[in-house]
Amino acid sequence: MKKILVTGGSGYIGSHTCIELLNAGFDVIVVDDFSNSVAEAINRVEKITNKKITFHQVNLLDKKSLNNVFHQEENIHAVIHFAALKAVGESVAHPLEYYTNNITGSLNLFEVMKNHNVSNIVFSSSATVYGDPETTPIKENAKIQATNPYGHSKVMMEQILIDTNIAHQWGVVILRYFNPVGAHPSGKIGEDPEYPNNLLPFVSQVAAGIREQVTIFGDDYQTPDGTGIRDYIHVVDLARAHVKSIEKLNTSPKQTHIFNVGTGTGYSVKQIIETFRRISGKKIKTVIGPRRPGDIAECTADTSLANKELNWHAEFGLKEMIESAWKWQSTHPNGYKS
Ligand code: UDP
């Protein structure tokens, strides 16, 4: 069985990806420092799949320990690299921390991979690299114009991997995620933020009575109902795109591939809240607030490249996204601490 090393494997997207990898028959090694996740996520992945994960608690800035992991774990087929800081606002306030974690941590990982002849990587990038796009849906060849340190760190890491492919013929798949939401249908793992930055976890916590109200960040955008439109993607669909990416590195090795991962369908903030009300049966109080700095009116993916080249299609719609988010939230009011 091929071994896949997953950095950030106990996080939200990482844990869902571990399930899909294990179900597809891969051996999974997780490297995580638990800075924004908990060991319980790994325990639950093992229970859901009835399979074991090899786990190493290591921060990517600790290159010596990372090197030891690669030394112990021989014959790693590929790395899936999730581990990074991810809050846009925080990155604006603490750029040096963000660049150190995301860039230095990634460079350590890539150097250790090179020293151990591991040359396949799937990298967790983001639609944020497109900034405020000129047209939607966005194609992969659209202009790159990130607007904050988090986004810049993703652009830089993409470039480092593109250059490494050219110099050392690494197989590279860059996945640009749109808006990952939802949870595993088992209801046993999900997103576990103490203070949510994103819309869906915030709405979930309001529906659960943990927070009082949702502030809608602006209702004066040039969109049909005035609120921002995003391309939400079920986290299980997103996780499966990583398994397809590993397959792509087998059939089309030593190349750089870049794919958008979304559904291609956009929903407004008001549509999301209304659907959440209907599915949960809960009251969700909203207030209209000012626009959030840096937000754009609309962001949706053209997914035709991933559909064709990865042989991947999003299978879940908004109903499944919100049902699964609510199942997780309503059974885990305090996340994994519940
Ligand atoms: N949003 C909102 N209230 C919130 C959080 C988000 O109105 O408390 C809006 C935000 O302005 C955007 C959409 O919801 O239009 C998705 O925001 P999110 O932070 O989830 O993802 P982003 O696309 O900004 O990364």
Side-chain angles (χ1 to χ4, degrees), residues 255-317:
Q255 293 179 38
T256 299
H257 308 271
I258 303 181
F259 301 113
N260 288 337
V261 189
T263 64
T265 303
Y267 293 100
S268 73
V269 176
K270 282 187 175 168
Q271 284 177 307
I272 293 289
I273 294 169
E274 203 38 59
T275 310
F276 212 111
R277 279 191 186 116
R278 190 162 40 78
I279 286 173
S280 67
K282 298 286 175 186
K283 287 202 174 71
I284 299 172
K285 192 178 165 202
T286 59
V287 288
I288 306 294
R291 292 182 179 192
R292 184 170 62 178
D295 267 359
I296 57 178
E298 185 169 350
C299 182
T300 56
D302 181 326
T303 62
S304 48
L305 199 64
N307 299 156
K308 181 163 161 265
E309 295 277 323
L310 270 189
N311 188 25
W312 168 90
H313 293 83
E315 288 172 28
F316 300 110

Side-chain angles (χ1 to χ4, degrees), residues 138-290:
I138 307 169
K139 283 187 186 293
E140 286 82 351
N141 60 6
K143 200 163 145 200
I144 297 301
Q145 44 183 6
T147 56
N148 55 68
Y150 165 71
H152 291 142
S153 79
K154 291 290 176 193
V155 174
M156 287 177 204
M157 289 186 286
E158 287 194 0
Q159 190 61 52
I160 291 166
L161 287 173
I162 290 166
D163 293 338
T164 307
N165 157 263
I166 293 167
H168 307 302
Q169 291 77 53
W170 280 19
V172 175
V173 179
I174 292 168
L175 297 180
R176 293 181 178 152
Y177 311 158
F178 279 65
N179 289 61
V181 296
H184 192 261
S186 66
K188 300 287 182 213
I189 63 167
E191 194 169 8
D192 184 18
E194 207 173 302
Y195 191 87
N197 289 301
N198 298 106
L199 179 66
L200 244 291
F202 210 99
V203 173
S204 305
Q205 293 191 3
V206 173
I210 297 167
R211 296 183 194 284
E212 198 198 332
Q213 60 188 28
V214 186
T215 303
I216 296 175
F217 296 148
D219 67 349
D220 57 352
Y221 285 103
Q222 291 292 317
T223 59
D225 67 16
T227 65
I229 292 176
R230 296 290 182 274
D231 185 335
Y232 297 91
I233 171 87
H234 196 301
V235 66
V236 173
D237 274 330
L238 177 57
R240 288 177 183 162
H242 295 78
V243 179
K244 291 285 189 180
S245 299
I246 299 286
E247 289 166 12
K248 185 73 183 172
L249 291 172
N250 295 334
T251 55
S252 179
K254 301 183 183 197
Q255 293 179 38
T256 299
H257 308 271
I258 303 181
F259 301 113
N260 288 337
V261 189
T263 64
T265 303
Y267 293 100
S268 73
V269 176
K270 282 187 175 168
Q271 284 177 307
I272 293 289
I273 294 169
E274 203 38 59
T275 310
F276 212 111
R277 279 191 186 116
R278 190 162 40 78
I279 286 173
S280 67
K282 298 286 175 186
K283 287 202 174 71
I284 299 172
K285 192 178 165 202
T286 59
V287 288
I288 306 294

